[in-house]
Amino acid sequence: MVIDPGHNPGNFRHSTDINQLVDIGTNRKECDTTGTETEDGYTEAAFTRDVSQRLRTLLEKEGAKVVLTHEEGERAFGPCIDERARIGNTAKADAVISVHADGSAEGHRGFHVILPGKVTSGGADTTAIVGPSRQLGEHVVAAFARATGSGRANYLGSGTGLDVRTDLGGLNLSTVPKVFVECGNMQDSQDAALLANGDWRQKAALGIAEGLRAFLAP
C-alpha cells in the first residue's frame, strides 16, 4: 500500500524547484505546487501529512505494509509528481491513495475522489488501471461518507463524489490502481473548520482505510 501526502510544507521555500517542468505523458507540468490553505493559514500540506500518518497507523495495525511517498523532514520539497507515481509503481502497490484538500470557492462543500481517465500518450498508459481505480474510488467514496458524515461535493461530479481527470501526472503515470481523495474544500468556512479538527481528520483516515479494505477484500 502506498500513501501519497499531497504537497510538502517545504514547497513554499522552493518555488524555483517545484516550478521545474516534468513529463506527465500528455504534456509537461510543474514538479509540484504549494497546495491551498484555509483563510487562517492551515495549509493543505500540513493537513495531508497529518491524515496520511493517521491512515498509515490504521493500516499497519491491520498488518498492511505501507509506504509513504515522503516522510516528515525527509526532503526539502516535493517529491515531483512523476516521482510520486514511480514510488507506487516500484512498490507494485495493491493501491495508492493520494491525500489532498481542495481550494475551490466559498459555498463549494464536500469531498470527492479523483479517478484516472484513459490516457495513452508519451510515457503514460492508464488503460490497465482505469477500471480498478474506479472500483477503488467508489469504495472510498462510500466509506468516507459513512465515517465522516460529509457529503459528496456539491460543485462537481453531479453528486457522485467522483471526478475523472487526465491532467494529473500522479494518475497518468501510475501503473497501479490509484486515486486522489480531496477530503473537503479549504476555501469554504464550514469545510475548513472540519479539516482543521483533529477528531474529524481521524474519521477521514478511518473512512479511507475502510474504503481500501473493501477494495482489497477477496
Side-chain angles (χ1 to χ4, degrees):
M1 198 81 60
V2 171
I3 304 170
D4 178 28
H7 313 289
N8 182 326
N11 285 358
F12 290 94
R13 298 185 295 274
H14 291 271
S15 56
T16 300
D17 297 298
I18 66 171
N19 284 329
Q20 295 296 314
L21 299 181
V22 298
D23 188 350
I24 67 165
T26 51
N27 62 301
R28 294 176 66 79
K29 201 167 183 178
E30 292 84 359
C31 156
D32 202 1
T33 68
T34 58
T36 187
E37 60 184 300
T38 64
E39 287 300 312
D40 59 0
Y42 181 50
T43 66
E44 182 182 1
F47 170 81
T48 65
R49 176 160 287 169
D50 182 82
V51 172
S52 295
Q53 290 172 341
R54 293 170 186 267
L55 176 58
R56 173 169 62 182
T57 298
L58 290 169
L59 294 173
E60 287 182 339
K61 283 182 178 178
E62 298 178 4
K65 179 181 178 182
V66 181
V67 174
L68 262 64
T69 57
H70 59 107
E71 301 274 3
E72 184 172 1
E74 179 182 53
R75 53 197 306 158
F77 65 92
C80 294
I81 52 179
D82 56 341
E83 183 180 352
R84 291 172 186 266
R86 282 197 300 273
I87 291 169
N89 298 345
T90 300
K92 295 184 174 16
D94 293 321
V96 181
I97 297 286
S98 191
V99 181
H100 287 266
D102 208 2
S104 191
E106 178 73 33
H108 287 182
R109 295 206 61 199
F111 73 94
H112 65 281
V113 173
I114 303 176
L115 312 176
K118 186 173 181 180
V119 173
T120 54
S121 179
D125 185 351
T126 61
T127 305
I129 69 163
V130 167
S133 295
R134 174 169 284 275
Q135 293 171 8
L136 171 61
E138 290 173 346
H139 283 300
V140 171
V141 165
F144 195 93
R146 287 194 304 269
T148 64
S150 292
R152 295 161 175 81
N154 64 7
Y155 57 100
L156 48 69
S158 302
T160 65
L162 297 171
D163 185 33
V164 178
R165 290 177 59 174
T166 59
D167 63 324
L168 298 174
L171 296 180
N172 288 2
L173 300 174
S174 183
T175 58
V176 295
K178 182 174 182 178
V179 299
F180 281 36
V181 183
E182 298 280 359
C183 297
N185 174 23
M186 286 193 143
Q187 292 295 299
D188 175 81
S189 55
Q190 294 182 72
D191 268 14
L194 294 175
L195 295 165
N197 182 283
D199 290 341
W200 187 90
R201 293 196 299 272
Q202 184 66 24
K203 293 177 183 178
L206 180 62
I208 297 171
E210 290 178 347
L212 281 163
R213 187 185 306 119
F215 172 68
L216 297 171

